[in-house]
Amino acid sequence: MGKLVALTLLGASLALIGERLLAFRQRINASREVEPVELPNCQLIEAIEAGSEDIDILPTGLAFISSGLKYPGVPNFAPDEPGKIFLMDLNEQNPVAQELKISDGFDKASFNPHGISTFIDKDHTVYLYVVSHPHLESTVEVFKFEEQHRSLVHLKTIKHELLESVNDIVVLGPEQFYATRDRYFTTFFLLILEMILDLRWKYVLFYSPKEVKVVAKGFSSANGITVSLDKKYIYVADPFTKSIHVMKRHDNWDLTQLKVIQLDSSVDNLTVDPATGDVLAGCHPNAMKLIIYDPRDPPGSEVLRVQNVSSEKPQVSTVYANNGSVLQGSSVASVYHRKLLIGTVFHKTLYCEL
Ligand SMILES: *[C@@H]1O[C@H](CO)[C@@H](O)[C@H](O)[C@H]1NC(C)=O
Ligand SMILES: *[C@@H]1O[C@H](CO)[C@@H](O)[C@H](O)[C@H]1NC(C)=O
Ligand SMILES: *[C@@H]1O[C@H](CO)[C@@H](O)[C@H](O)[C@H]1NC(C)=O
Ligand SMILES: *[C@@H]1O[C@H](CO)[C@@H](O)[C@H](O)[C@H]1NC(C)=O
């Protein structure tokens, strides 16, 4: 009798997981075909072959690019190399990517950069905040950028019990930032289960030396995060629900949700077009192919533009789309003077005209 109950329970659980798996595949458009949308004068950036997960461009046109992410369940083309930060000067006619030197005294071997965010202080000093996963933990590393020497000087490591499975960060003041948590579990099997069962345990937190708190929760996954040009709104990408959450900032740093913009693509990272305030989203049109990687049937890339984000009817349009023959797994797109730089989780980097 006991055996029968156990078998029935096992059968029921498997059926439930099977049903949820199908629902999950549908939710992330597992096998969606990508209709190409092309841009003029695209070129792949040499030197970057192992991902360009995040890109942040300074108002002066210097672009920081994080590369070499190692994360459970995500392919990596340079598993034995530590992560890197590249710099590109987008004012140049044919910009090249140059690896930034990192000062001694920082454990470069375990550097595993993910989301990045720049911050410029009153004295015009540029700081680069980097989410890193040394030994698969989560830290926020603070660097000072020395333009003359093309180097990063490590200033400090920020750790906190709420800074778990951090994906992305947006810095709004000296050591004051919002960060997203993209997963609850870290082991691959539990992570898959978490995705399939759609456990909405992920959050956005606010960090400052004085106070650390969860300011928004209930995300299926909280991934890219960025701030509007007027700094009043925070945009959070949820790839599993294919949506962008528009949140209002309060004086005490709390966030309240204003609306959710539904897309048809698993949105990864967000940037804001400095000229228009539009949101640009690096998306995975068929995210399942990213998780189960097959080079013969690779994941595609898609860049969406959301205009009039704060109006009643934001308009979504496709800026770029490719089936993976040129660019696989786009995670971010950033604009500077009508040029578009598209980064990927583990593949190349594409530079196009708009
Ligand atoms: C993606 O999946 C949703 C259902 O989850 C469906 O409504 C939509 O049409 C799909 N999009 C494409 C392009 O297949
Ligand atoms: C996403 O983009 C924003 C803005 O460029 C950046 O601050 C953030 O770190 C990026 N995050 C990830 C995970 O790519
Ligand atoms: C992707 O598109 C190109 C043409 O744009 C085509 O030659 C190729 O077969 C397609 N690849 C896949 C995997 O669909
Ligand atoms: C929508 O945004 C564009 C710029 O991206 C702007 O030119 C236009 O006036 C806006 N329209 C509305 C209705 O706000």
Side-chain angles (χ1 to χ4, degrees), residues 29-231:
N29 296 96
S31 53
R32 185 181 141 193
E33 298 283 335
V34 182
E35 286 297 322
V37 174
E38 287 171 2
L39 284 170
N41 297 325
C42 288
Q43 63 190 84
L44 290 165
I45 299 299
E46 275 176 47
I48 305 182
E49 299 284 345
S52 42
E53 155 72 21
D54 200 9
I55 299 174
D56 208 357
I57 305 179
L58 294 177
T60 57
L62 288 181
F64 293 89
I65 301 169
S66 69
S67 181
L69 176 69
K70 296 174 197 65
Y71 220 49
V74 173
N76 183 298
F77 291 160
D80 301 325
E81 280 188 48
K84 296 172 181 161
I85 303 289
F86 286 95
L87 186 75
M88 278 177 74
D89 184 348
L90 302 185
N91 299 296
E92 289 169 5
Q93 194 67 32
N94 289 304
V96 293
Q98 188 183 7
E99 184 184 343
L100 286 176
K101 289 195 287 275
I102 298 180
S103 61
D104 292 337
F106 174 69
D107 180 12
K108 286 171 243 184
S110 67
F111 190 40
N112 187 3
H114 200 172
I116 61 176
S117 179
T118 51
F119 174 67
I120 307 173
D121 75 2
K122 288 194 290 293
D123 307 323
H124 309 289
T125 306
V126 176
Y127 297 88
L128 184 69
Y129 285 63
V130 183
V131 173
S132 180
H133 303 292
H135 316 292
L136 299 182
E137 290 174 15
S138 284
T139 61
V140 173
E141 307 293 344
V142 187
F143 298 95
K144 188 169 95 175
F145 172 55
E146 301 214 316
E147 187 169 350
Q148 231 181 345
H149 302 108
R150 299 271 152 145
S151 67
L152 295 171
V153 176
H154 186 249
L155 298 181
K156 73 187 291 182
T157 298
I158 297 175
K159 275 184 159 186
H160 190 277
E161 58 182 12
L162 286 177
L163 281 171
E164 276 248 31
S165 295
V166 184
N167 182 294
D168 196 13
I169 172 173
V170 58
V171 183
L172 295 178
E175 283 185 52
Q176 291 174 314
F177 56 79
Y178 290 107
T180 51
R181 176 171 190 169
D182 65 1
R183 53 183 71 193
Y184 187 79
F185 295 112
T186 43
T187 53
F188 186 58
F189 173 73
L190 289 176
L191 176 64
I192 293 293
L193 208 60
E194 163 186 346
M195 293 193 318
I196 291 172
L197 297 180
D198 194 17
L199 302 178
R200 302 203 171 190
W201 294 348
K202 278 71 77 172
Y203 53 70
V204 175
L205 70 84
F206 168 70
Y207 178 96
S208 77
K210 286 202 211 104
E211 188 184 23
V212 188
K213 60 182 176 181
V214 173
V215 288
K217 54 187 176 186
F219 296 91
S220 187
S221 174
N223 202 293
I225 186 167
T226 195
V227 65
S228 63
L229 291 181
D230 61 11
K231 309 252 188 281

